[in-house]
Amino acid sequence: MTRARPTPFRRRRLRTAALIAALLAFAAPACTRSTGETIGAVAVGTGGAVASADPDATAAGLDVLRAGGSAADAAIAMALVLAVVHPHWGNLGGGGFAVARFEDEVTALDFRETAPGAAAPSMFLDAGGSAVPDSSWIGPLAAGVPGTPDGLYALHRRHGSLPWPELVEPAIRLARDGFTISARLHEAIEWSREELARFEESAAIWLPDGVPPSVGSRMVLPDLARTLRRYADGGPPGITSGPVARAIIAASKRYGGVLTLEDLAGYRAEWRQPVRISAFGWEIASMPLPSSGGIILGETFGMLERLGWSALPRASADRAHLLAEVWRRAYADRFLLGDPGTTEAKSADLLDPAWLDARAAGIERTAASRSEDVAPWSRARAPEPAETTHLSAVDAQGNLVALTTTLNGWFGCYLYIPGAGFMLNNEMDDFATVPGEPNAFGLVQGEANAIRPGRRSLSSMAPTIAWRNGEAIALGSRGGSRIPTTAAQVLLNRIVDGDSLAQAVRRPRLHHQWLPDELRYEEGSLSHGLRAALEQRGHRLKEVGGLGEVHAVRLRADGWMEAATDDEGRGAGAAGALLRPPSP
């Protein structure tokens, strides 16, 4: 099956000069605004900090913090601005997850899309039971019921402080008055040109005269501005009922979708108990099912701690080998996961100390396992009594939010909704449309994640918060199946090896996901000797572009706050911080 894939990130190499520049940026931020804010690749302050994929979104988050808003308020404003300026990643037609820590209470919000009421296991199969090419990827049949409208509103109801309309206003202004087409958005449109051209509605907006808008040109989205105004005035019903909802259903039905008005109006975000992990002296909270991200992080840290990972030399074959082996096992267990109501294994099963003991004990330190020999968890085997965008925010009170949203693929199912102003997701591909066959990210999934009406498909998103002795970190990443391994490595860099936030975010990364059986590494990140040592142990190596894209914030024990984003090799974002707390 041929599917559009994101273009590889530009080549990158980690150099000493880059680290020095990052450290200097803490002392001299790239841009100081007259409002007492700094925006750059890294930033520090005492009044709050934010990190996102775009300067406009970061600026909106800082403005909210300066007005006395909470970390949740800042996250909402940033998410909505990203919905305008980066419509290919995540917007009102998608969904996501958030993990928050407010006054020592840690919460997890699930606003993952659900399967429509008319969804069926065979909806992407032909009469012979074979998958119909691209049917779960392109067109509105691939769309789940969007969760973002209710999800952001639910986050505000629980953790917000500023009036709701104030948080939507920055996005309204950008959609109404215009924003500048960035190189990243232009590249995404160019890469998705063939798919966008299948729908005249999408082509009219994103391919005027048959070509993408040029970098630096001005884009105005009046339909989206009107939708956001309805959202500001009426909350989720401004989108899930009335003219916007009718526009969604009309466009969906025109191209064979099965969404209904009842699906849209009936969606509700769910508050869940986060996955809690204690490792290397830190407390960590991440996203539970229907995201596999928190469970994979828990298994990763649990096995590494048992294997003495922190005592091994940094940038060594021993460490890289153990990362590959623990991820091989964690992703094998992922095969059993799905909607919380139907999953074949739960976090309690996979994070049970006895299971982690057994998993760690099965790792050979000098030879790679074969993925075909690594079976997922089962009750019989268990020991007796186991394309996204991310943003992070910390406010002046030390409250933190890590929030990840997505449409799944770039531009979702590629259908723009006239009268609504946004794209629909293609999250149905994250179900096991054909159990046992790989999806667009190469993940092989089981019956627990099969399509059923109302189910939430399994995700890899991993918004995460970690804390110890007055220090706290909120982070997450984009990158599909590579999200949990990216988040794990950034955390290990900080909590085990003591990196600064900027150093932790920018070090080279590896990835293994059980199937395909290969250890992926970023271009130029492994020396010839290290590659040879890993190959000698039996690892199949594959050089790839940037793995993930991290946006993180950190509350330091001394009260200062930092924000950091990935460098250009993975897709540079924007970090920002208030130099002083907002006035009472």
Side-chain angles (χ1 to χ4, degrees):
M1 182 181 298
T2 301
R3 290 176 171 137
R5 300 293 180 89
T7 184
F9 291 113
R10 294 181 295 276
R11 291 184 60 85
R12 66 175 299 276
R13 297 188 185 278
L14 188 68
R15 294 187 174 96
T16 302
L19 289 178
I20 294 173
L23 293 171
L24 290 174
F26 279 105
C31 174
T32 301
R33 306 201 320 176
S34 60
T35 53
E37 302 161 3
T38 62
I39 297 178
V42 293
V44 295
T46 58
V50 295
S52 80
D54 185 85
D56 284 331
T58 293
L62 288 177
D63 287 340
V64 166
L65 291 178
R66 188 167 182 269
S70 70
D73 292 330
I76 292 163
M78 289 192 290
L80 290 172
V81 167
L82 287 169
V84 178
V85 301
H86 285 296
H88 55 297
W89 281 338
N91 57 35
L92 299 175
F97 301 104
V99 175
R101 194 184 77 149
F102 275 70
E103 297 179 353
D104 296 326
E105 178 192 20
V106 185
T107 54
L109 179 62
D110 167 11
F111 54 104
R112 179 70 159 165
E113 300 89 332
T114 58
S122 60
M123 63 190 296
F124 301 115
L125 307 180
D126 60 23
S130 298
V132 177
D134 288 334
S135 60
S136 66
W137 193 252
I138 300 174
L141 190 64
V145 182
T148 296
D150 194 63
L152 296 182
Y153 199 71
L155 182 62
H156 179 259
R157 285 198 305 270
R158 185 157 183 170
H159 295 303
S161 58
L162 294 182
W164 172 254
E166 291 185 22
L167 309 182
V168 190
E169 191 60 37
I172 294 174
R173 288 197 300 268
L174 284 165
R176 181 193 63 214
D177 302 336
F179 62 94
T180 301
I181 296 291
S182 65
R184 301 185 77 180
L185 177 54
H186 175 84
E187 181 182 41
I189 299 169
E190 180 64 49
W191 187 259
S192 306
R193 183 191 295 205
E194 179 181 340
E195 290 77 17
L196 291 169
R198 295 192 188 191
F199 306 100
E200 59 182 271
E201 300 90 342
S202 303
I205 298 296
W206 301 116
L207 296 170
D209 302 319
V211 296
S214 60
V215 176
S217 64
R218 203 74 175 159
M219 172 65 76
V220 177
L221 298 172
D223 281 353
L224 182 56
R226 286 188 287 269
T227 293
L228 287 166
R229 174 57 63 194
R230 292 187 176 98
Y231 192 34
D233 294 342
I239 296 174
T240 59
S241 63
V244 176
R246 290 192 292 272
I248 293 171
I249 301 309
S252 174
K253 287 185 175 178
R254 179 179 180 186
Y255 293 101
V258 295
L259 289 171
T260 66
L261 290 172
E262 291 74 20
D263 289 330
L264 298 178
Y267 182 91
R268 295 293 182 271
E270 298 282 349
W271 288 99
R272 304 191 186 278
Q273 290 297 316
V275 171
R276 294 291 296 267
I277 308 156
S278 295
F280 301 108
W282 285 67
E283 294 298 314
I284 302 169
S286 192
M287 200 64 209
L289 294 174
S291 178
S292 64
I295 293 175
I296 292 173
L297 281 177
E299 288 199 75
T300 296
F301 284 108
M303 283 186 268
L304 289 180
E305 197 165 37
R306 284 163 170 78
L307 292 163
W309 192 83
S310 61
L312 297 173
R314 195 166 198 182
S316 64
D318 288 339
R319 275 194 170 187
H321 169 74
L322 289 184
L323 284 176
E325 291 303 303
V326 301
W327 290 336
R328 191 193 309 273
R329 287 152 177 80
Y331 278 82
D333 289 341
R334 188 187 189 278
F335 180 81
L336 301 168
L337 303 178
D339 182 282
T342 58
T343 185
E344 294 180 32
K346 302 181 185 299
S347 60
D349 300 317
L350 301 181
L351 302 181
D352 184 282
W355 179 242
L356 294 175
D357 288 344
R359 275 302 205 200
I363 292 175
E364 169 60 53
R365 290 182 178 269
T366 59
S369 306
R370 295 190 308 170
S371 288
E372 64 190 63
D373 296 331
V374 176
W377 174 93
S378 72
R379 297 204 177 274
R381 295 182 67 242
E384 292 298 328
E387 241 356 303
T388 56
T389 186
H390 179 83
L391 56 92
S392 299
V394 56
D395 61 30
Q397 288 71 46
N399 303 309
L400 299 103
V401 172
L403 186 150
T404 312
T405 63
T406 186
L407 292 174
N408 198 28
W410 277 6
F411 294 102
C413 71
Y414 302 99
L415 177 60
Y416 174 86
I417 308 298
F422 53 79
M423 313 292 289
L424 276 180
N425 66 85
N426 59 354
E427 290 293 355
M428 295 300 288
D429 187 72
D430 269 359
F431 284 106
T433 54
V434 183
E437 294 295 322
N439 70 357
F441 295 96
L443 288 168
V444 178
Q445 306 178 94
E447 290 288 347
N449 194 37
I451 297 171
R452 296 290 188 280
R455 277 189 181 178
R456 301 180 187 222
S457 59
L458 189 61
S459 170
S460 295
M461 288 182 274
T464 299
I465 294 174
W467 64 95
R468 183 186 71 170
N469 298 335
E471 179 179 351
I473 302 166
L475 83 163
S477 177
R478 64 184 292 268
S481 61
R482 301 168 294 282
I483 291 172
T485 57
T486 293
Q489 288 169 96
V490 173
L491 276 178
L492 288 168
N493 290 339
R494 172 61 200 153
I495 71 177
V496 173
D497 293 320
D499 279 349
S500 71
L501 191 64
Q503 289 172 324
V505 166
R506 291 171 179 176
R507 287 196 186 274
R509 299 176 193 145
L510 307 173
H511 174 74
H512 200 296
Q513 62 181 51
W514 184 45
L515 296 173
D517 189 353
E518 59 190 23
L519 177 57
R520 303 174 192 179
Y521 65 97
E522 291 183 325
E523 295 168 293
S525 65
L526 295 184
S527 67
H528 175 76
L530 190 52
R531 292 198 305 270
L534 289 169
E535 287 172 340
Q536 186 174 9
R537 297 186 191 203
H539 291 284
R540 301 170 186 170
L541 302 181
K542 181 178 181 180
E543 187 178 60
V544 297
L547 292 169
E549 180 183 332
V550 175
H551 307 292
V553 297
R554 175 187 172 212
L555 170 65
R556 294 182 350 200
D558 62 7
W560 283 81
M561 299 164 190
E562 304 172 354
T565 66
D566 259 318
D567 64 12
E568 291 186 359
R570 303 183 183 112
L578 286 179
L579 298 180
R580 56 186 177 274
S583 300

